[in-house]
Every structure is written in structure tokens, then in C-alpha cells.
Amino acid sequence: MKVRNRMRILMAEKKVSSVLKISRDTGLDYGTLLNFYHERFENFNNKVIATLCEYFGCQIDDLLELVEEKVS
């Protein structure tokens, strides 16, 4: 199983144009958000998750999902 984020989907639903806008609106580090957006993360920062949930007006399970990894 793998944890994936739904940030792109939430951005589209809320009509948020860029990761840079989220960074400016929330004060979260742009590089951190960009890595999260591109799913280049190994650990979850509670502050980032909580801030994004607040920003998008969602719950954690709206932002993150558990999916099965495809076996090649």
C-alpha cells in the first residue's frame, strides 16, 4: 500500500491556480509544497497536513488516500 495525496484534485475543485499561490496564502514553504504536490515525500509534517486541510476546507482523508501499489 502507498499513501498518495489528492492535492491536484483539490486545487482543481477549488480553482487554485498554483502551488506558489498556496504557499503565499498559507505561509508554508514553497519547496515543501512542491515536493508534496509531486509526491516526493517520505514523512508527513503535521503542520503541513493541518494547514492544507484548513486551506482546502477538507478532512485528512480528502487530502490523503491509501492505494494499492501496482506490481509489475
Side-chain angles (χ1 to χ4, degrees), residues 1-4 64-68:
M1 299 294 270
K2 180 178 180 177
V3 176
R4 298 197 52 130
L64 301 173
E65 64 183 348
L66 194 58
V67 296
E68 284 194 43

Side-chain angles (χ1 to χ4, degrees), residues 26-38:
T26 63
L28 293 173
D29 180 70
Y30 174 71
T32 299
L33 289 175
L34 199 58
N35 283 334
F36 189 81
Y37 178 85
H38 289 291

Side-chain angles (χ1 to χ4, degrees), residues 7-72:
M7 187 170 168
R8 291 173 189 215
I9 295 166
L10 292 171
M11 287 175 69
E13 289 174 357
K14 303 290 185 181
K15 296 182 173 57
V16 177
S17 58
S18 71
V19 175
L20 183 59
K21 176 172 177 18
I22 297 170
S23 176
R24 288 180 179 155
D25 290 348
T26 63
L28 293 173
D29 180 70
Y30 174 71
T32 299
L33 289 175
L34 199 58
N35 283 334
F36 189 81
Y37 178 85
H38 289 291
E39 302 205 30
R40 296 185 297 230
F41 55 87
E42 302 231 352
N43 299 311
F44 295 94
N45 180 304
N46 291 341
K47 180 183 177 194
V48 171
I49 300 299
T51 302
L52 288 174
C53 285
E54 185 177 333
Y55 182 78
F56 288 116
C58 70
Q59 298 296 312
I60 292 172
D61 61 343
D62 297 320
L63 180 63
L64 301 173
E65 64 183 348
L66 194 58
V67 296
E68 284 194 43
E69 291 186 80
K70 295 181 181 178
V71 178
S72 303

